[in-house]
Amino acid sequence: MASPAAHIDAGGREVRVSSPDRIIFEATDLTPDITKLEVVEYFVKVGDGLMRALCERPTTLERWPKGVREDMDLSTRQDNHGDAFYQKRVPKGAPDYVETVRINFPSGRRADEICPTEIAVAAWAAHMGTITFHPWPVRRADVDRPDELRIDLDPQPGTDFHDAQRVARSAKDLLEEIGIRGFAKTSGNRGVHVFVRIEPRWTFTDVRHAALAFGRELSRRDDRVTTAWWKEERGERIFVDFNQNARDRTIASAYSLRPKPGAPVSTPLTWDELFDLDDPRTLNLTSVPGLLERRPDAWSSIDDEAFGLETLLEWYARDEENGEGEMPYPPDYPKMPGEPRRVQPSKARHD
């Protein structure tokens, strides 16, 4: 027999939660069973930090309405038969307090996407099975000019979180060398994300080029780093995924849960906290609210200053002159200006 719906206060607005006792995350060695109601309550508890990441941004919802299990699959562009899925367009029947913004996809299609303006929107989305929020790096005042540079340090096979952790130190030093302050968070899995608030003056293409130039310069200074797009060329290194800055590419927000055992959180940390962290799994739904009670949000000052991309774009222009220009876009993109052939090097040699 289904449990009666629960109601919670989310920023002064009552939000209904159906099937509150449904198990979303099964127990692990670090966490007990976690219910749907506890997921909704978690997002309300971390509301200030979560809204700092989502407010006024077009946001894709990653929904796991049946809960998270190891035998469940997330639908992709190639296979839409998974148990979980990405919701890019505002769902039918959304409450009237759920605001939207119109966005343009690389294909030329358009959509009205959720644009959170209050924590009740996140609570309602969690009631709908959302565990991960994927905000665009723009705000609705100008959806074509990003205000975030996102540096995704992605461990490749043979590397782990500790390798990403060490590379993050190099990334911090390089940013500081050019007068930029970055803010770090765990990915909620093995990686590290570094976000930089930037002036909303550049296009998605410019910001992607800035990320690529940063990754290339980082790889020159740290042999544990690569920007090779093709997996066969990356080796056991940390990949700087520059394409996460392309239009309609997003990264899990600060304080989002991730679909892994134990309800891990993509957690903002001070740099010292990041460098001292031994196991990112300890940052989960049960522990992160307590962390915020003990000290302020590590990203509380992220909006205090916006930086320019001039140096990074100068590096890109320099690299282009030296024969290191554009790189491939993701395979679902239309052919982009100046883009090389999307052919794996091992296959291209046999053309």
Side-chain angles (χ1 to χ4, degrees):
M1 184 174 180
S3 302
H7 294 82
I8 71 165
D9 181 286
R13 194 186 294 278
E14 185 177 83
V15 175
R16 179 180 180 274
V17 182
S18 63
S19 304
D21 296 334
R22 178 181 297 159
I23 302 299
I24 302 301
F25 293 92
E26 295 179 330
T28 69
D29 58 330
L30 294 174
T31 55
D33 285 339
I34 294 170
T35 66
K36 182 178 177 181
L37 179 60
E38 288 171 320
V39 169
V40 179
E41 290 173 335
Y42 160 78
F43 284 124
V44 174
K45 289 176 183 176
V46 300
D48 287 347
L50 182 65
M51 289 309 298
R52 189 173 291 111
L54 302 182
C55 193
E56 301 281 340
R57 297 187 185 279
T59 301
T60 298
L61 309 178
E62 184 179 333
R63 295 174 57 186
W64 292 75
K66 300 176 184 177
V68 176
R69 306 288 185 274
E70 291 192 22
D71 60 348
M72 289 183 174
D73 295 316
L74 178 65
S75 293
T76 65
R77 292 175 176 85
Q78 292 74 37
D79 180 5
N80 62 359
H81 299 294
D83 303 281
F85 56 94
Y86 293 107
Q87 179 97 45
K88 292 193 174 185
R89 291 169 171 80
V90 60
K92 293 181 180 179
D96 58 9
Y97 58 81
V98 176
E99 299 186 28
T100 64
V101 62
R102 181 154 293 184
I103 54 172
N104 298 302
F105 297 118
S107 64
R109 294 180 296 109
R110 307 176 78 186
D112 292 323
E113 191 156 274
I114 285 175
C115 187
T117 56
E118 57 179 288
I119 192 59
V121 176
W124 165 81
H127 146 76
M128 295 287 287
T130 301
I131 65 166
T132 310
F133 296 90
H134 295 268
W136 282 44
V138 299
R139 299 188 194 267
R140 64 176 172 180
D142 187 345
V143 295
D144 294 314
R145 303 280 174 174
D147 73 338
E148 280 184 344
L149 170 68
R150 298 171 172 181
I151 300 167
D152 182 5
L153 304 178
D154 185 9
Q156 299 304 291
T159 65
D160 59 17
F161 170 74
H162 296 291
D163 295 298
Q165 193 179 40
R166 289 187 285 269
V167 168
R169 188 183 293 274
S170 299
K172 173 181 181 288
D173 292 343
L174 181 55
L175 287 172
E176 290 179 349
E177 182 179 313
I178 58 176
I180 289 177
R181 183 184 181 193
F183 290 78
K185 66 182 179 73
T186 62
S187 70
N189 192 12
R190 301 186 306 142
V192 174
H193 300 153
V194 181
F195 279 30
V196 175
R197 285 288 192 266
I198 61 174
E199 299 165 358
R201 295 166 39 205
W202 290 275
T203 66
F204 278 95
T205 299
D206 292 331
V207 177
R208 178 179 171 276
H209 285 168
L212 176 54
F214 179 85
R216 282 172 169 160
E217 185 65 23
L218 190 63
S219 70
R220 295 183 187 108
R221 302 180 184 211
D222 190 327
D223 60 10
R224 299 166 296 187
V225 176
T226 181
T227 56
W229 175 244
W230 301 105
K231 292 181 179 180
E232 64 188 38
E233 295 185 323
R234 294 177 189 170
E236 294 184 1
R237 292 179 287 181
I238 301 300
F239 172 50
V240 179
D241 191 352
F242 54 89
N243 268 329
Q244 294 288 27
N245 293 273
R247 182 186 290 273
D248 192 33
R249 280 298 182 272
T250 57
I251 292 178
S253 78
Y255 298 105
S256 274
L257 301 171
R258 305 310 305 275
K260 300 288 182 181
V265 173
S266 183
T267 309
L269 298 173
T270 67
W271 286 105
D272 286 343
E273 287 173 336
L274 176 66
F275 299 147
D276 289 341
L277 182 63
D278 183 56
D279 184 353
R281 297 181 308 145
T282 60
L283 297 169
N284 54 57
L285 178 147
T286 65
S287 64
V288 168
L291 177 66
L292 289 173
E293 291 175 359
R294 294 192 297 273
R295 56 100 165 119
D297 176 18
W299 285 20
S300 60
S301 61
I302 194 171
D303 290 312
D304 288 356
E305 185 176 7
F307 297 91
L309 295 178
E310 290 86 353
T311 299
L312 295 176
L313 292 176
E314 287 172 6
W315 289 355
Y316 182 81
R318 175 203 64 192
D319 291 345
E320 196 169 35
E321 288 180 2
N322 293 330
E324 290 185 291
E326 189 58 276
M327 291 280 279
Y329 276 74
D332 58 301
Y333 270 61
K335 184 71 174 179
M336 303 299 285
E339 183 186 0
R341 295 173 64 199
R342 295 181 193 171
V343 180
Q344 285 178 240
S346 58
K347 293 183 179 179
R349 288 193 287 267
H350 299 293
D351 285 356

